Amino acid sequence: KQEVTQIPAALSVPEGENLVLNCSFTDSAIYNLQWFRQDPGKGLTSLLLIQSSQREQTSGRLNASLDKSSGRSTLYIAASQPGDSATYLCAVVGNQFYFGTGTSLTVIP
Amino acid sequence: GAVVSQHPSRVICKSGTSVKIECRSLDFQATTMFWYRQFPKQSLMLMATSNEGSKATYEQGVEKDKFLINHASLTLSTLTVTSAHPEDSSFYICSARARGGERDGYTFGSGTRLTVV
């Protein structure tokens, strides 16, 4: 069974810092990997989708990479802002959708 | 882009009553819809998968008679929590997969916060 782990579970950084969130998965047979943002009590917002054949995707200050062979993905956030504070979830799509445990990010003004 | 509308966003109900949550794909046909549950400080857990016109497939430990899922059309899926109890209080989210399949990713509803009192 696919297991998705995110490290760290929580992260607090001062505004302006660049940061990296990590996601690892145990089964490399995936279709794609998605990164989501979830604000407290809210639904999910899709940030980036990486197909299994791709290595990375970029959107604004966000860059996500995928190394399928090692079962790892990273989400890089440049020049963090207080508005980036949220929980970030990665999810891999194999024969079903598997979510990571999330990283709670706090950006301090 | 693809949009999934989920209603209601919040609902409070009395113990023993039933609650229906709707999930609609607004600008695409969702051949498959997924229902998730999230307890506080935990990750999302898949409850069931529904394909249009067929019975839903439930994950282990999810009571199919308690969580009724209907996917009668390509744009609408409903989750009914029957005889709700306080332990059913949770955040429920639906997601839909378009005809393109896994490669097109998934679109999520905005979620429903259910509180059973």
Side-chain angles (χ1 to χ4, degrees):
Chain A
K1 182 182 176 182
Q2 178 75 271
E3 292 184 5
V4 183
T5 306
Q6 289 184 245
I7 295 173
L11 181 64
S12 184
V13 300
E15 181 177 2
E17 270 201 12
N18 303 324
L19 57 101
V20 175
L21 307 181
N22 297 290
C23 174
S24 61
F25 48 96
T26 56
D27 187 349
S28 62
I30 66 172
Y31 289 106
N32 59 54
L33 183 146
Q34 278 185 266
W35 281 93
F36 295 91
R37 168 188 174 136
Q38 185 177 31
D39 293 285
K42 304 288 187 181
L44 298 176
T45 300
S46 180
L47 298 174
L48 290 164
L49 167 66
I50 310 177
Q51 302 291 354
S52 62
S53 58
Q54 296 175 324
R55 299 282 295 180
E56 66 177 335
Q57 281 287 331
T58 298
S59 176
R61 294 183 293 109
L62 306 179
N63 175 275
S65 68
L66 173 63
D67 185 341
K68 219 173 64 160
S69 61
S70 67
R72 294 182 181 181
S73 176
T74 61
L75 178 66
Y76 175 82
I77 302 177
S80 58
Q81 302 172 356
D84 295 331
S85 298
T87 295
Y88 290 80
L89 292 164
C90 74
V92 298
V93 180
N95 55 9
Q96 70 177 64
F97 215 101
Y98 298 90
F99 282 92
T101 47
T103 294
S104 177
L105 171 65
T106 302
V107 180
I108 304 167
Chain B
V3 176
V4 170
S5 175
Q6 184 172 345
H7 294 281
S9 58
R10 289 179 179 273
V11 59
I12 300 173
C13 71
K14 291 185 178 181
S15 185
T17 61
S18 295
V19 174
K20 180 185 285 188
I21 302 169
E22 288 191 352
C23 193
R24 293 181 184 271
S25 57
L26 298 185
D27 50 4
F28 68 101
Q29 292 183 327
T31 55
T32 305
M33 284 197 176
F34 304 85
W35 288 94
Y36 298 84
R37 180 169 52 183
Q38 184 180 36
F39 292 107
K41 298 189 177 182
Q42 295 186 25
S43 189
L44 288 165
M45 296 298 294
L46 179 64
M47 298 175 66
T49 302
S50 72
N51 293 297
E52 185 263 339
S54 62
K55 289 184 179 181
T57 302
Y58 290 81
E59 294 300 301
Q60 191 173 5
V62 178
E63 301 173 58
K64 63 180 180 180
D65 294 330
K66 181 172 185 60
F67 299 99
L68 302 179
I69 292 174
N70 184 284
H71 192 168
S73 77
L74 285 170
T75 59
L76 174 65
S77 178
T78 61
L79 167 66
T80 301
V81 182
T82 63
S83 187
H85 291 285
E87 56 265 30
D88 297 324
S89 298
S90 185
F91 193 61
Y92 294 86
I93 301 179
C94 66
S95 77
R97 182 171 71 193
R99 283 192 177 276
E102 292 85 356
R103 294 191 62 80
D104 290 344
Y106 294 74
T107 302
F108 285 79
S110 54
T112 298
R113 172 73 60 192
L114 171 63
T115 303
V116 184
V117 297

